[in-house]
Each structure stands twice: as C-alpha cells, then as structure tokens.
Amino acid sequence: MSDLTDPNVIKDRKRRLSVKDQQDQEDIRKVLSTPEGRRLVWRMMDQTKMLAPDLFSPDPQQLSYQTGKRDVGVWLYAEIVKADPQRFIEMMTGDR
C-alpha cells in the first residue's frame, strides 16, 4: 500500500487525474463537434429541465426527483462549458 502523503504519490495522482480530465474534455468536444451530437446533448439537457424557471412541486418526492434530474443537467452544463463554452452558446442560439 502506498503512502498517500508521499509527494511522489500525490504528484502521480494529480497527473493521472489531469490526463483523465483532458480526455473527458476532448470526448465532450468531439461529441459537440457534430450537429447530431449537439442535438443529442440539447435533448438531454431539455429532459433534465436545467433551464426551467421553476421546479416546484407540492409533492416532496416529485420535487426531489426533479431536483435530481436538474442536478444532472447542471453537471452536463458545467462539463460542456469547461470543455468548449462556445458550443453551448451555439446550441442555445439554435445551431444544433
């Protein structure tokens, strides 16, 4: 077992995370580079109701469910903006 306080272990973990983050961002850029990918992602975001002005429901279970869906949309939005913010703007303006 490795020592998690060892500077070499910390450096290696950061490097591996950085490589994974870069690959994740490249994957998103690749999907968003096609009209089909942008349409799919836009439909997914629409399903999450991320841009809906109000998620209120008097039923707490329904509210929890809708909030969970919205959280997925917020995560997806953050990933898109981190990878290629211009693509999100294009999707919003109808270039899907």
Side-chain angles (χ1 to χ4, degrees):
M1 181 167 216
S2 61
D3 179 7
L4 298 179
T5 61
D6 179 350
N8 291 328
V9 172
I10 293 170
K11 185 177 177 180
D12 184 55
R13 286 184 79 131
K14 285 182 178 179
R15 183 192 57 77
R16 282 187 281 146
L17 284 173
S18 175
V19 168
K20 183 186 178 319
D21 285 345
Q22 289 174 9
Q23 183 62 56
D24 288 348
Q25 289 180 23
E26 183 57 35
D27 292 346
I28 291 169
R29 282 190 291 271
K30 179 97 174 178
V31 169
L32 296 177
S33 71
T34 67
E36 298 86 358
R38 290 191 296 273
R39 285 193 303 266
L40 173 64
V41 170
W42 191 257
R43 284 195 318 267
M44 291 169 65
M45 291 188 69
D46 185 51
Q47 285 296 311
T48 68
K49 306 294 186 217
M50 198 239 359
L51 298 174
D54 187 15
L55 295 177
F56 178 76
S57 172
D59 177 359
Q61 290 179 335
Q62 183 65 25
L63 181 61
S64 294
Y65 173 74
Q66 291 175 351
T67 301
K69 281 177 43 173
R70 185 176 185 280
D71 283 347
V72 171
V74 169
W75 170 82
L76 183 56
Y77 166 77
E79 292 294 305
I80 292 168
V81 170
K82 184 168 56 173
D84 192 350
Q86 186 60 36
R87 291 293 186 185
F88 185 76
I89 294 168
E90 289 173 10
M91 288 191 306
M92 285 190 70
T93 60
D95 184 13
R96 298 176 219 129

